[in-house]
């Protein structure tokens, strides 16, 4: 009786063991059929994208600004790309002086974006258009270090003027000029913040831009800023060398510093003719709290001494 019971239990346990092994195998097969997790993209930026946002303003600058961007485009490779949005002045005949065009460039090939429809009179000084251009550039070349180049005519603070035939209201310092329309320093800062893209640097290929007003407006939008508080010659900066410096592995700060030194050497002749100033400033603008603290302390001491 006991022996028969033991044999029955043994068979029962063997059936349970077999069933357990089968279930384990099925479970294993089920796991193998599960979709593999999608690998997350590397969040670390790789390579660079230079964004040229430019307004000619006059026939001479139509040519010179576009030529500067072309020089940068010719120096590009897989690791450095260029995007360009250029509005010509419309003050002479020919394609070079009319219309607004958008381009991409990589591996020394400059390609016009045929899908871009700027309309009849593109509002280049509208900060929304700059925001859209930055976002478009980042979509074309994602996960990169970004450098924005503003090219055109800058201007100083303009007070109310009733001496001319047409009265002009006061305006803050402008970073971009198109006929009687201006993009102010404050509007530029807002456009950068609205884009959602942090810049490694902002370069001003325009006059009167290396100043404390601009520092305040752009604080936190970029790590570095390159500009001059004076009038600059039309030759501006050596973008071919700038792109080559980045491709050779130099940091953005070192690249901008070299660019500033080259500009000063290039501008020396114009300075000697008393045409331009001779000062190019590379500023760290990520956090300017120490600067504001010193200025506040200085102003307080000046006030106390009166």
């Amino acid at each position: 009786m006991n022996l028969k019971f033991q044999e029955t239990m043994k068979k029962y346990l063997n059936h349970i063991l077999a069933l357990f092994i089968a279930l384990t195998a099925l479970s294993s097969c089920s796991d193998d059929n599960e979709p593999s997790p999608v690998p997350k993209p590397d969040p670390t930026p790789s390579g660079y994208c230079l964004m040229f946002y430019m307004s000619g303003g006059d026939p001479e600058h139509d040519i010179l600004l576009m030529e500067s961007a072309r020089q940068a485009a010719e120096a590009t490779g897989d690791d450095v790309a260029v995007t360009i949005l250029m509005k010509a002045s419309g003050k002479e005949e020919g394609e070079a002086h009319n219309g607004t065009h958008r381009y991409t460039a990589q591996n020394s090939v400059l390609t016009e974006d045929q899908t871009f429809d700027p309309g009849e009179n593109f509002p280049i000084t509208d900060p929304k258009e700059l925001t859209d251009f930055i976002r478009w550039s980042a979509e074309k070349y994602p996960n990169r270090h970004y450098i924005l180049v503003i090219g055109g005519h800058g201007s100083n603070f303009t007070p109310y003027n009733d001496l001319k035939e047409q009265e002009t209201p006061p305006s803050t310092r402008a970073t971009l000029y198109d006929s009687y329309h201006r993009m102010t320093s404050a509007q530029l800062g807002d456009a950068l913040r609205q884009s959602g893209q942090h810049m490694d640097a902002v370069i001003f290929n325009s006059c009167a831009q290396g100043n404390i007003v601009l520092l305040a407006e752009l604080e936190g939008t970029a790590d570095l800023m390159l500009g001059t508080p004076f009038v600059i010659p039309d030759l501006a900066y050596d973008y071919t060398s700038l792109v080559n410096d980045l491709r050779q592995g130099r940091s953005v700060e070192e690249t901008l510093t070299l660019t500033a030194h080259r500009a000063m050497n290039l501008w020396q002749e114009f300075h000697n003719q008393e045409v331009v100033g001779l000062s190019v400033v590379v500023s760290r603008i990520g956090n300017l709290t120490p600067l504001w603290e010193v200025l506040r302390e200085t102003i307080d001491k000046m006030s106390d001494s009166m």
Side-chain angles (χ1 to χ4, degrees):
M1 187 75 178
N2 291 336
L3 181 60
K4 190 174 182 180
F5 176 76
Q6 289 177 358
E7 290 178 353
T8 302
M9 287 297 296
K10 185 176 181 181
K11 289 179 180 180
Y12 179 71
L13 291 171
N14 286 338
H15 281 302
I16 292 177
L17 180 60
L19 181 62
F20 178 75
I21 293 172
L23 287 173
T24 304
L26 286 173
S27 175
S28 177
C29 291
S30 176
D31 290 343
D32 289 342
N33 291 329
E34 289 292 328
S36 302
V38 178
K40 294 182 179 180
D42 184 3
T44 305
S46 176
Y48 293 89
C49 175
L50 274 70
M51 309 175 185
F52 287 80
Y53 190 81
M54 305 182 295
S55 173
D58 58 65
E60 183 179 32
H61 284 85
D62 290 341
I63 301 298
L64 291 170
L65 288 172
M66 192 60 206
E67 181 58 30
S68 294
R70 288 183 190 278
Q71 290 176 4
E74 290 175 0
T76 58
D78 287 333
D79 47 351
V80 179
V82 162
T83 59
I84 304 167
L85 196 154
M86 173 70 190
K87 181 178 182 180
S89 65
K91 296 180 178 178
E92 279 192 8
E93 298 295 327
E95 183 177 342
H97 301 292
N98 291 276
T100 303
H101 304 272
R102 193 168 70 177
Y103 306 85
T104 59
Q106 194 167 19
N107 294 316
S108 303
V109 178
L110 180 66
T111 305
E112 184 168 359
D113 179 12
Q114 300 297 334
T115 67
F116 179 59
D117 181 13
E120 185 174 345
N121 187 20
F122 183 77
I124 190 82
T125 58
D126 185 342
K128 179 183 178 300
E129 299 298 344
L130 174 56
T131 294
D132 290 345
F133 172 67
I134 292 171
R135 289 176 176 171
W136 173 81
S137 299
E139 288 174 1
K140 287 293 182 182
Y141 301 102
N143 200 34
R144 300 224 177 187
H145 295 278
Y146 299 110
I147 298 174
L148 176 65
V149 180
I150 299 293
H153 291 286
S155 64
N156 297 312
F157 166 75
T158 304
Y160 178 81
N161 188 346
D162 59 359
L163 300 179
K164 296 183 179 180
E165 294 181 4
Q166 182 179 3
E167 294 183 358
T168 57
S171 63
T172 65
R173 186 180 296 274
T175 58
L176 199 65
Y177 184 83
D178 178 33
S179 186
Y180 291 101
H181 303 285
R182 301 180 179 189
M183 181 187 293
T184 66
S185 304
Q187 288 175 323
L188 174 62
D190 289 342
L192 285 166
R193 292 181 180 89
Q194 290 297 322
S195 74
Q197 292 293 334
H198 183 78
M199 296 291 154
D200 280 47
V202 180
I203 298 173
F204 288 96
N205 197 138
S206 48
C207 301
Q209 299 305 311
N211 55 77
I212 197 168
V213 174
L214 199 54
L215 292 178
E217 297 293 358
L218 297 190
E219 180 180 8
T221 64
D223 297 327
L224 299 161
M225 185 185 88
L226 173 67
T228 175
F230 301 112
V231 173
I232 67 173
D234 296 332
L235 297 174
Y237 304 113
D238 179 358
Y239 291 105
T240 300
S241 296
L242 187 153
V243 172
N244 286 334
D245 286 339
L246 293 174
R247 298 194 64 193
Q248 291 169 12
R250 290 189 169 93
S251 69
V252 176
E253 183 166 351
E254 182 182 5
T255 295
L256 294 189
T257 302
L258 289 170
T259 300
H261 283 293
R262 292 188 189 107
M264 292 178 70
N265 291 332
L266 187 65
W267 299 357
Q268 184 67 57
E269 179 180 349
F270 298 94
H271 175 70
N272 291 345
Q273 297 173 8
E274 299 183 356
V275 176
V276 301
L278 195 60
S279 173
V280 186
V281 181
V282 178
S283 306
R284 299 188 185 104
I285 61 173
N287 181 6
L288 297 174
T289 300
L291 173 61
W292 309 137
E293 290 176 347
V294 170
L295 285 176
R296 172 55 60 189
E297 182 181 352
T298 302
I299 293 171
D300 288 343
K301 288 183 177 179
M302 292 172 63
S303 178
D304 293 340
S305 66
M306 295 176 66

